[in-house]
Amino acid sequence: MPELAAEDRAEIADVMLNYAAGVDDRNRDQYSNCFDEHVEVFGFGDEPIRGRGAWVDYVFAALASYGATQHLLVPPLVTLDGDRARVRTDVQAMHTLKSGDHERLVLWATYFSEMERRAAGWQIVRHELVSRSIKQD
């Protein structure tokens, strides 16, 4: 195992924590910094979304339908390969709908991400959502 593996794992986990916090806090810059400029995203519609700008625009437009959200992540399972990493992160995401009647949507899912080490740190280059279950109250 590389000497810096523990440090890399912590930095990779921080990317995923910034992902969740950026969404929940509606911090576009914090969220955007998690992604490579040419990221490819799968599982959020019929077609992949390509490019950081297109992806971040998509997410923040979707968030307009929700009030508070909370994304709870388990510690990521990381497989390192030099300057690349495969990352599995299970998530439970609570979404409060803006309908005014406190309706909630809960998503249980897994994020499968690929990251690369960049000059500024680890960034997501490929991201996929695999939904496990959705419940609406």
Side-chain angles (χ1 to χ4, degrees):
M1 189 174 291
E3 188 174 317
L4 297 178
E7 183 177 321
D8 288 331
R9 289 177 192 280
E11 290 174 9
I12 289 166
D14 280 351
V15 171
M16 296 311 298
L17 292 172
N18 277 293
Y19 176 112
V23 168
D24 294 339
D25 295 341
R26 306 304 196 265
N27 186 325
R28 190 179 182 98
D29 289 336
Q30 181 180 16
Y31 186 73
S32 181
N33 289 334
C34 297
F35 300 94
D36 178 73
E37 178 182 353
H38 303 289
V39 67
E40 293 184 311
V41 181
F42 301 85
F44 289 84
D46 293 334
E47 298 293 322
I49 301 169
R50 291 185 169 84
R52 177 174 48 216
W55 171 239
V56 173
D57 287 348
Y58 172 89
V59 168
F60 280 81
L63 286 171
S65 300
Y66 301 107
T69 60
Q70 184 180 47
H71 290 70
L72 302 174
L73 308 178
V74 303
L77 178 61
V78 179
T79 304
L80 291 172
D81 184 12
D83 288 338
R84 291 192 59 89
R86 288 189 313 280
V87 184
R88 176 199 166 119
T89 309
D90 291 310
V91 58
Q92 179 180 316
M94 175 79 68
H95 301 75
T96 303
L97 302 178
K98 281 189 171 177
S99 60
D101 58 5
H102 303 288
E103 197 172 1
R104 293 174 306 201
L105 176 92
V106 181
L107 168 70
W108 291 270
T110 302
Y111 296 137
F112 291 99
S113 307
E114 294 178 15
M115 295 188 196
E116 290 184 3
R117 186 191 330 261
R118 303 289 194 227
W122 289 94
Q123 287 188 312
I124 300 169
V125 297
R126 186 184 189 285
H127 185 62
E128 182 176 1
L129 170 79
V130 175
S131 177
R132 305 300 184 185
S133 180
I134 297 173
K135 180 181 180 189
Q136 191 165 344
D137 295 334

